[in-house]
Amino acid sequence: MTEIHENAELDRARDGLQGDCASCFGLCCVALPFSASADFAVNKPAGKACSSLQADFRCGIHTRLRQQGFPGCTVYDCFGAGQKVSQLTFGGQDWRQAPGTAQQMFDVFPIVRQLHELLWYLTEALTLLQARPIHGDIRLVLDETERLTRLDPETLRELDVAAHRQTVNALLLRTSELVRAGTRRKKQDRRGADLIGAKLKGADLRGANLRGAYLIAADLTGADLRFADLIGADLRDADLSGADLTDSIFLTQPQLNSAKGDAGTKVPRSLNRPTQWSR
């Protein structure tokens, strides 16, 4: 396979790992719970439909979510799990038409969502040239992860996702080491670090390990985050104005959506600039 064809294939794969609400039965609006907070205006238990969910499974306040007190909904992405569970796992039969399968569907959705998130990371790993030595291993695990997403509902409910995640994470760690090898420096391992509200304006964080770091409301304006590993980093309300994230590793759309940015923020080609960012 030529590099051009391989890149086109990966781009198509990533397109399929984005939520398509028109093909979903509003699963994130029903299956998942949320609590009254800065992210959600009210409490909602798992398995109960949000009061704004319409008969056609679309959100009645979609264009006013932030104004209505639901910014948490605007940063969420199912990585394409919603449409797969709706159209493939349950064959296009929604939980209103078949209430007997509703709980099964609601149980399966978060499991497939986790698997699809892993598919996103594995697909990104295949785009990183520095990780070519292990691309064969990555493809094998990616294919196995895709196979798991297509299991029947009962098998999915019993699936040990945590065990599979460990296998995937080992490969992602190897990928990160290979990609950051040429840029990482001493004192740049901030894995799981508490950097809430940290003053990191203009910081040179190239090749930094920020896996699982708490960067809530951190000032990262003008920071250089190229080749930084951001898998699992909490970027809620972090200020990324003018920051360079073009070659950052394992950054996802929900992370980007939860942060602040502006027209000067450089984002990876595979992600979209959040519409709520200042221009």
Side-chain angles (χ1 to χ4, degrees):
M1 183 182 298
T2 67
E3 185 173 327
I4 293 176
H5 288 163
E6 183 178 10
N7 289 338
E9 177 191 331
L10 293 172
D11 284 341
R12 285 193 297 271
R14 282 194 290 211
D15 287 343
L17 295 172
Q18 299 178 34
D20 178 9
C21 296
S23 300
C24 178
F25 300 141
L27 296 183
C28 64
C29 306
V30 186
L32 306 180
F34 52 73
S35 301
S37 62
D39 293 320
F40 300 101
V42 297
N43 293 313
K44 187 193 82 65
K48 180 180 179 181
C50 174
S51 59
S52 297
L53 186 66
Q54 301 178 136
D56 61 356
F57 300 111
R58 306 307 290 270
C59 175
I61 60 170
H62 178 71
T63 59
R64 309 188 310 278
L65 282 166
R66 288 183 174 270
Q67 298 91 318
Q68 296 290 326
F70 292 89
C73 296
T74 68
V75 305
Y76 179 81
D77 194 299
C78 72
F79 294 98
Q83 62 259 32
K84 178 170 280 185
V85 172
S86 298
Q87 303 302 328
L88 180 66
T89 314
F90 287 88
Q93 187 173 53
D94 69 66
W95 49 272
R96 284 176 174 152
Q97 292 175 324
T101 65
Q103 189 57 55
Q104 191 180 48
M105 187 180 291
F106 302 155
D107 290 344
V108 163
F109 170 64
I111 294 170
V112 176
R113 196 269 184 189
Q114 291 182 68
L115 293 172
H116 267 233
E117 183 178 10
L118 296 179
L119 285 174
W120 172 271
Y121 291 136
L122 291 165
T123 302
E124 176 164 343
L126 288 175
T127 70
L128 303 172
L129 296 180
Q130 302 93 325
R132 276 197 179 279
I134 60 171
H135 275 188
D137 294 337
I138 294 170
R139 280 196 176 277
L140 287 174
V141 175
L142 186 149
D143 290 344
E144 173 61 11
T145 306
E146 175 63 30
R147 185 190 70 81
L148 293 177
T149 69
R150 295 173 178 273
L151 293 172
D152 64 86
E154 278 307 312
T155 306
L156 276 167
R157 289 172 94 178
E158 301 300 321
L159 185 65
D160 188 347
V161 180
H164 185 68
R165 184 180 289 274
Q166 288 182 344
T167 300
V168 173
N169 195 48
L171 271 179
L172 299 181
L173 280 169
R174 288 170 63 192
T175 300
S176 177
E177 291 294 317
L178 288 169
V179 174
R180 296 185 299 110
T183 54
R184 66 173 183 262
R185 298 176 302 285
K186 292 181 179 179
K187 298 183 179 179
Q188 290 286 55
D189 189 350
R190 310 303 296 273
R191 183 174 183 176
D194 183 351
L195 297 170
I196 297 175
K199 306 301 181 183
L200 296 167
K201 183 177 181 178
D204 184 355
L205 295 168
R206 287 174 297 167
N209 184 353
L210 293 166
R211 297 170 69 92
Y214 296 94
L215 288 157
I216 302 168
D219 181 2
L220 288 161
T221 55
D224 190 344
L225 289 154
R226 288 175 294 170
F227 301 107
D229 186 342
L230 293 168
I231 194 168
D234 193 335
L235 293 170
R236 284 177 293 168
D237 291 324
D239 193 344
L240 298 172
S241 300
D244 190 349
L245 298 111
T246 47
D247 293 308
S248 58
I249 312 169
F250 302 134
L251 180 67
T252 65
Q253 193 66 52
Q255 285 174 295
L256 208 57
N257 291 346
S258 70
K260 299 175 182 177
D262 63 7
T265 308
K266 298 178 181 178
V267 303
R269 184 181 66 86
S270 59
L271 301 179
N272 300 314
R273 184 180 302 277
T275 56
Q276 72 270 17
W277 282 6
S278 58
R279 299 190 178 278

